[in-house]
Amino acid sequence: VSATARIDARAFLRVKRDGGRHDPGELEAFVLAAARGEIPDYQTSAWLMAAYLNGLADAERDALTRAVIRSGQVFDWRSLGRPTADKHSTGGVGDKISLALAPLVAACGVAVPMVSGRGLGHTGGTLDKLESIPGFRTQLDAQAMRAQLERIGVVMVGQGPELAPADGLLYALRDATSTVERPWFIVPSIVSKKIAEGAQAIVYDVKCGSGAFMKTEGDAVALARQLVDVTRAMGANAAARVTDMSQPLGVAVGNALEVREACDVLHGGGPADVRALTLELAAAMLVLAGRGEAEARAALERALDSGAAWRRWLELIVAQGGDVDAVERDQLPRAPAVVPVPAPRAGVLAAVDGFALGELIVAIGGGRRAKEDRVDPRVGAMVRRRIGDRVDAGDVLLELHLAAPDPAAVERAAAAFTIADAAVAAPPLVIASVA
Ligand code: URA
């Protein structure tokens, strides 16, 4: 690239810094240049912060989505001979739904070419969870993905050099620069991966509450609407559920702990909310793929009860190089220190600050504070009480799983719980549906 043909990143940055609108072509060119490594991270990060603060109009959001898609290939599975569907969450605390859902849906005859993300901000990521299984590979090339989809109907990978590489870069920079929770970033990040992976039908799980990026129902429904509309405009079918994240989902938070809980669900057990949401979203996928609702629900229950979903999970782990023995014998990495966090007083559990808990998990090593950080798969928490539960002083609210004893972490964990005197209703799991 000649010196004059190169993008003038400083001029581009000034537009957003000053609250202006980008020309869609220039925005695409900037993102594609960044993905090719031609823009240094500090300039891309500065743009992210300017756009975080000053916003992107719908046309800019759509240009960003197209640019991220164009930074790699778009897969096409129409010759597979069976429908394809996928689910993507906007991110939460303890949200391990994808782990059980992907093999479960595949066991019902709909192929799942799932492309997931890593931890983002205070939330966990499916790829980090999968990588707590020793040997599990989350990077497959297009040929390997096709072969695996043909054979077992499910792959679980990350974006990579072939698939939405621009999102790999922007995602890591957003995570490290606190520029995550804006719909004009979330929609392009998610929709680009889903369109590039080639799924024909996509169900979005838009999280809402203290542990989510969208804290209010209004913001979450608006994000769901955008995800569905932009996906349809790009050629795939879509639906969304807005679901509760006013407390962690299930019991386990943290990478290896969440894989264990997903195994429980695939064995027909697991926490009631995790099982219910897995079935809700899996049924929505099957319905978008053409099944009737009742037939879909019955097929899913059968696949769990018969062990077919569990067997598909083990096949997936083997296919992607994971240590299947470690999963079958419950020998995933374990933290050396498990410390109970007691309730300071009696009352009713009124609130759990999911953001604070998620940030605590990042701080104890379960997520990244810089792009290059390594994640400790062992650490996390087992959350033992739910909103609306009565507690006595000294009851265990949660257990922290730590790499080393850490009294400050215990204090931070206790501070995430609010205990009140009056009765508090448990929040509903599914708040709204967007078709
Ligand atoms: N999940 C993604 O893939 N991207 C986001 O921006 C948020 C959640």
Side-chain angles (χ1 to χ4, degrees):
V1 186
S2 79
T4 44
R6 254 189 23 218
I7 288 180
D8 185 349
R10 290 158 70 247
F12 180 81
L13 286 171
R14 275 198 300 274
V15 172
K16 204 38 82 179
R17 180 198 69 187
D18 296 341
R21 284 201 186 179
H22 293 297
D23 169 78
E26 277 177 20
L27 200 160
E28 280 197 48
F30 177 81
V31 171
L32 288 170
R36 288 192 302 266
E38 292 164 12
I39 311 274
D41 284 355
Y42 53 82
Q43 287 179 322
T44 309
S45 299
W47 178 73
L48 286 168
M49 187 57 82
Y52 181 96
L53 294 170
N54 289 328
L56 294 183
D58 289 356
E60 294 173 297
R61 175 202 66 196
D62 295 347
L64 176 56
T65 310
R66 279 194 304 272
V68 178
I69 294 170
R70 277 190 200 150
S71 69
Q73 303 177 27
V74 176
F75 294 123
D76 183 346
W77 311 114
R78 278 173 299 187
S79 62
L80 211 57
R82 59 190 131 169
T84 51
D86 192 10
K87 183 271 328 182
H88 200 93
S89 159
T90 57
V93 178
D95 183 358
K96 72 283 294 173
I97 296 295
S98 290
L99 300 175
L101 171 137
L104 170 62
V105 170
C108 294
V110 170
V112 184
M114 186 181 278
V115 176
S116 305
R118 300 194 173 279
L120 184 64
H122 67 284
T123 71
T126 301
L127 296 180
D128 294 332
K129 294 169 202 187
L130 288 169
E131 287 176 359
S132 66
I133 302 170
F136 196 101
R137 285 190 307 266
T138 55
Q139 284 291 318
L140 299 183
D141 63 24
Q143 228 183 336
M145 276 178 78
R146 173 170 292 279
Q148 190 173 318
L149 274 178
E150 279 171 357
R151 203 160 52 78
I152 61 171
V154 55
V155 290
M156 295 182 85
V157 293
Q159 64 67 227
E162 291 179 320
L163 199 147
D167 186 57
L169 174 70
L170 297 178
Y171 196 92
L173 293 177
R174 284 167 61 212
D175 185 35
T177 58
S178 291
T179 52
V180 172
E181 49 275 76
R182 289 289 190 248
W184 50 85
F185 287 152
I186 295 174
V187 170
S189 167
I190 294 182
V191 174
S192 64
K193 290 193 287 275
K194 302 291 104 176
I195 294 297
E197 72 174 28
Q200 293 157 328
I202 298 135
V203 173
Y204 294 111
D205 181 11
V206 178
K207 298 293 185 193
C208 174
S210 68
F213 296 126
M214 298 297 127
K215 309 291 182 197
T216 67
E217 184 177 336
D219 285 349
V221 169
L223 176 59
R225 185 77 268 153
Q226 288 192 46
L227 284 165
V228 169
D229 289 349
V230 176
T231 302
R232 287 199 188 128
M234 307 245 165
N237 203 356
R241 301 286 184 276
V242 173
T243 70
D244 182 52
M245 192 33 74
S246 65
Q247 58 188 334
L249 190 57
V251 176
V253 185
N255 295 303
L257 293 171
E258 292 189 44
V259 171
R260 276 203 197 91
E261 192 165 283
C263 290
D264 294 343
V265 171
L266 285 163
H267 273 131
D273 59 336
V274 180
R275 179 182 165 100
L277 190 55
T278 303
L279 290 171
E280 170 75 21
L281 297 169
M285 286 167 71
L286 294 182
V287 167
L288 271 194
R291 307 275 175 89
E293 169 87 29
E295 177 203 345
R297 293 257 173 195
L300 292 164
E301 301 270 358
R302 247 191 339 266
L304 280 181
D305 295 345
S306 67
W310 170 252
R311 287 192 296 277
R312 196 61 64 105
W313 167 237
L314 296 183
E315 284 169 4
L316 169 71
I317 294 167
V318 172
Q320 294 190 217
D323 180 351
V324 79
D325 272 359
V327 173
E328 278 194 286
R329 297 201 205 138
D330 195 16
Q331 283 172 351
L332 292 175
R334 278 181 194 275
V338 179
V339 185
V341 175
R345 71 175 187 93
V348 178
L349 185 55
V352 183
D353 184 341
F355 174 75
L357 267 188
E359 282 289 295
L360 173 60
I361 303 299
V362 172
I364 62 176
R368 295 173 191 78
R369 286 194 277 200
K371 204 169 143 224
E372 300 74 19
D373 283 356
R374 287 178 71 86
V375 167
D376 185 340
R378 305 169 300 170
V379 303
M382 298 295 278
V383 183
R384 297 297 181 190
R385 296 295 162 140
R386 305 197 62 73
I387 292 175
D389 285 358
R390 291 218 131 267
V391 296
D392 285 326
D395 280 358
V396 174
L397 296 174
L398 89 169
E399 290 128 18
L400 272 179
H401 288 233
L402 298 160
D406 182 350
V410 174
E411 250 173 64
R412 276 177 71 176
F417 291 80
T418 304
I419 297 172
D421 296 313
V424 181
L429 185 59
V430 178
I431 298 165
S433 289
V434 171

